[in-house]
Amino acid sequence: MLLTLCIAVPAVAALLVLFLPRTAPGLIRWFSLGASLLAFAVSLVVYANFQVGEASFQMVEKMQWIPSIGAEWHLGVDGISLFLIMLTTLLTVLCILSSWNSINERVQEYHFFFLLLEAGMVGVFAALDLFVFYVMWEVMLVPMFFLIGVWGGQRRLYATIKFFLFTMAGSVLMLAGVLYVYFHTLDPETGKHTFDLLMATDQSKYALDVQRWLFLAFGLAFAIKVPLFPLHTWLPDAHTEAPTAGSVILAGVLLKMGTYGFLRFCLPMFPQATLEFVPWISWLALIGITYGAMVAMVQKDMKKLVAYSSVAHLGFVMLGTFALNEQGLTGSLLQQINHGISTGALFMLVGVIYERRHTRMIADYGGIAKVMPVFAVLFLIVALSSIGLPTTNGFVGEFLILLGTFASNTLYGVIATSGVILAAVYLLWMYQRVFYGKIVHDENQKLKDITAFEALPILVLIVLAIWIGVYPDPLLVRMEPSLQLILDRFQQGEFSHLMGVLP
Amino acid sequence: MGMQDFLGVLPELVVVVTALLAILTDIAAKERNASAAKNVTVLGLAVAGGLAFVSPGDSKMLMSGQVFNDGLTEWFRALFAFVGIVTAIYSPLYMKFRNIRLGEYYSLLTMCVFGMMVMASAASLLLFFVGLETMSICLYVLVGLRRNDPASIEGGMKYLVLGAFSSAFLLYGMALIYGGVGSLDYAVISQTLRESSSIGPMTISGIALLLVGFAFKISAVPFHFWSPDVYEGAPTTITALMSTGAKAAAFVGLIRVFGQALAASSEHWVMALSILSALTMTVGNVVALKQTSVKRMLAYSSIAHAGYMLLAIVTGTRESFAAASFYLIGYALMNLGAFGVLMLLNQRGKGDYSFDALRGMGTIHPVLGLTMTVFMLSLIGIPPTAGFFGKLYVFSEAIKEGHLTLAIIGLLNSAVGAYYYLRVISSLYMAKPEGDVAVLQPMSYKFALVVSALLIVMLGMFPDQLVQAMLAAIP
């Protein structure tokens, strides 16, 4: 029941928020905070009950839902989804905290959508039924549409519709794929078609050309979400226009649904096609890494810079995944969590100064380390963790990814490594222009430093970043067996003739 | 006519009596109580809807094989009664601010529902045609109701001319089929086609003409040109009725005639229907994209939805017909609801239906905004709504039967459709309101809207009962 609870708590809380008095925003905030803390607590219980060393799904729940089509309420968690669920529940708490003072309009609807979003995201990661997965995948779109469209910036309408249409275009093709898989999966007990993900994975012995199409149908939806170059154009718009908490969730969790999808569906179900697509995806990821970094470098808007840095970071994640070896996969899964932490914190920090000056232009700042010393320190730590300085989380993740990439293809490794340097360039250059030098704009003289309340969610993320940087073992031991299980499918006899591609 | 026959058509009889009572009530009440006729209509249709499920025994055929007495008849009778009730509930306020005063309105509305019911239960082409004409003649009058408005007159004219035209096609087709097969009964046609080794040119021409006639009636591309103008010109209550009830009635006809009676000859028409389906989905959607009037957008999008449902006829299995029926029920709920909200918002200011007229209305009128959002999300096909499940069901049956390309065309189209439905939501919530924002919201409207929205969500979350019922209903 734990996983259902993890989805039900925010979902029910979302509905209850609607019944709270509109005139009491304080009450709504406290209620939502309480609900999201409760959901986080449940996810901690999930973590505590998780059996280390076990590769397959745990805490599995299965219930009839729509018997006539064989859809079941089927949830479970393994080393891949565990931390993504925890990241979701944690970031939701922090986002509610970080929007405490910045969201003053339509507070009720805001929290309704935020909690609904949380329920949908946890659902995506916990689903073991293709139908549940698809439903959750789509359900999340709506709150995000509203979060950007109602509480976003100037061009929010354009951004939110673009976001919705891009995702929708991908997901309808995925639906065709889901249905195809459904009609080729039989429940051995009932002899009927089933959406059961485990059975679908076990029975996935598609011919190569079918695999190619299915890989593309699923993969396109995931690649849009990631976003993989050249499908990334919705992301800078959505990120820039979204309210701070929206950007945090978008970068922290939503993008991970794409990379998670590749890990959960494409790799285990279509292994031959995966092997074929390795060079394509790797090159697109490499372009994403370098292009994202270079575009980030020339941005004048801090939030846009962070958004493009996400394109680069997710490029690393994709590269690691498609290295198809243990280091690469582990690194990329870890990096997914890391990106949620570091980029989430970066967006919150940008939100803090935006609240003060209502501008995110780098040129409007300069020298503000003098007036906001604490803020400057926090920003530096987060920026360094995003760059991947040793002893921060980013280092462990990128290091593993690069190890894995070098092991599978040296050229990819060399190009990717140069991307690490570029990341250092754009973030540190931005840092220098914003925080050092003379204060050129008089308005900045009187900037108030970050308050303890604003710093709280960021501090939580910093502690996590350093903890993972110093001692990533608790994460790695839980992730590795499940990832190994995916790799085993590539080692199975029938693909052995293709294994020359692999190290 | 035995007792069983009598019981079997009881709902239809109740509807006819209601139509008569409605006009008498209106005469009796005159100006004193404008909604008396409405109350009679709602009550009568509710009784008929309730009686729809009263089964007069096991016999699947009544009236010497002229009338079906199966699940499909029962469900669609109930659906038409429901559509009629909702339309009637929406009518008084709309007529008031549109300055329409027509005593026969409710009577015509009820007779129109009667025509739909006959179409659903007809077991021969002749009776089907009688039902169709009953419905159409009432609609010709109702469409041209706003006699002072050129758009309404134009709509009425277009509908009359093209409606008569398409009826002629149907009738000619029926005559040729009669010539080829020797009967107008679905059962006989089906049997003859199954038994004959080859199908003669006369029958094939008959089928082709029937197909064209049906395509006109469900406004499938390229026979759709009349519908946006008619939908726009008609009083909004009637647009709601036409886009849900009349469309559903034509689809039951399609299921019965093409899906069952002519099933054995499917090799001759399946390709044509596939092309119609693909064209209908795509053209409807693409043209809907650039509409500035929400009412017109809904008209074009209802063409697109007809395309999705045609896909189910192309698929041609019992399951796919169940899927189409599920879709029709869900679609009736959401489209009626969408028009209901539009009607209320249309009272304001200039009374136009442009997207801009919806600006900020969602925040000011939470019930209207919230229900409209549910209707739009359901029309897009976002879970958990009836629209999502209906689409899933239709497309999955198509994929199962190997119509993968058509299914993908449909799926991509529904992504395109998302854009214009989202525009409605974004106008409702993401812009500042302007001008006069006060809107009369009678309880009955609100009730109908909230019930529709709840049903849509319930059907999306727990579709199983209705799916089972539809599967059981398809003969």
Side-chain angles (χ1 to χ4, degrees), chain B residues 72-93:
Chain B
L72 208 57
T73 314
E74 291 175 358
W75 276 95
F76 277 90
R77 267 181 194 157
L79 178 69
F80 299 139
F82 173 81
V83 171
I85 291 170
V86 176
T87 313
I89 290 177
Y90 289 160
S91 296
L93 183 69

Side-chain angles (χ1 to χ4, degrees), chain A residues 465-479:
Chain A
I466 292 176
W467 181 42
I468 296 176
V470 178
Y471 184 56
D473 202 49
L475 282 82
L476 298 181
V477 290
R478 287 172 175 80
M479 291 172 176

Side-chain angles (χ1 to χ4, degrees), chain B residues 159-170:
Chain B
Y159 192 40
L160 176 66
V161 172
L162 285 167
F165 198 48
S166 60
S167 295
F169 269 108
L170 277 175

Side-chain angles (χ1 to χ4, degrees), chain A residues 3-217:
Chain A
L3 292 170
T4 302
L5 209 58
C6 228
I7 299 171
V9 166
V12 172
L15 290 177
L16 290 179
V17 162
L18 290 180
F19 292 100
L20 296 175
R22 294 175 75 88
T23 45
L27 176 68
I28 293 168
R29 290 191 183 107
W30 279 107
F31 179 83
S32 310
L33 181 65
S36 61
L37 276 171
L38 184 61
F40 179 57
V42 177
S43 72
L44 284 180
V45 180
V46 172
Y47 178 80
N49 284 338
F50 192 86
Q51 298 294 318
V52 179
E54 173 72 42
S56 56
F57 287 91
Q58 310 183 19
M59 288 165 253
V60 174
E61 302 166 23
K62 206 169 180 181
M63 258 191 321
Q64 291 265 335
W65 183 15
I66 311 174
S68 59
I69 57 164
E72 283 168 320
W73 182 252
H74 189 184
L75 306 177
V77 61
D78 69 348
I80 299 172
S81 49
L82 173 68
F83 293 102
L84 289 168
I85 293 177
M86 295 186 68
L87 181 71
T88 309
T89 52
L90 175 68
L91 279 182
T92 308
V93 175
L94 301 182
C95 282
I96 289 178
L97 276 177
S98 84
S99 45
W100 203 271
N101 294 319
S102 57
I103 300 291
N104 296 309
E105 248 183 276
R106 297 154 84 174
V107 178
Q108 190 177 31
E109 288 102 315
Y110 181 82
H111 288 93
F112 166 74
F113 285 126
F114 224 94
L115 291 168
L116 200 62
L117 185 64
E118 182 182 10
M121 293 186 298
V122 175
V124 165
F125 294 129
L128 288 189
D129 185 280
L130 285 164
F131 187 80
V132 178
F133 175 81
Y134 187 80
V135 166
M136 293 295 179
W137 177 276
E138 291 284 290
V139 157
M140 273 177 16
L141 274 178
V142 178
M144 205 62 218
F145 173 75
F146 276 100
L147 284 175
I148 302 175
V150 177
W151 292 273
Q154 287 287 315
R155 289 168 67 239
R156 57 182 187 272
L157 258 183
Y158 169 76
T160 196
I161 290 188
K162 189 169 174 186
F163 160 76
F164 199 103
L165 290 183
F166 261 78
T167 321
M168 187 83 189
S171 50
V172 291
L173 283 180
M174 178 164 80
L175 183 60
V178 166
L179 290 173
Y180 189 92
V181 170
Y182 166 71
F183 285 117
H184 287 79
T185 310
L186 287 177
D187 188 332
E189 273 177 36
T190 59
K192 284 182 175 168
H193 299 303
T194 175
F195 284 104
D196 191 307
L197 175 62
L198 306 180
M199 293 179 199
T201 313
D202 284 344
Q203 297 176 21
S204 63
K205 306 262 189 290
Y206 303 105
L208 184 57
D209 58 331
V210 177
Q211 280 198 29
R212 279 190 204 119
W213 286 112
L214 286 176
F215 186 98
L216 284 175

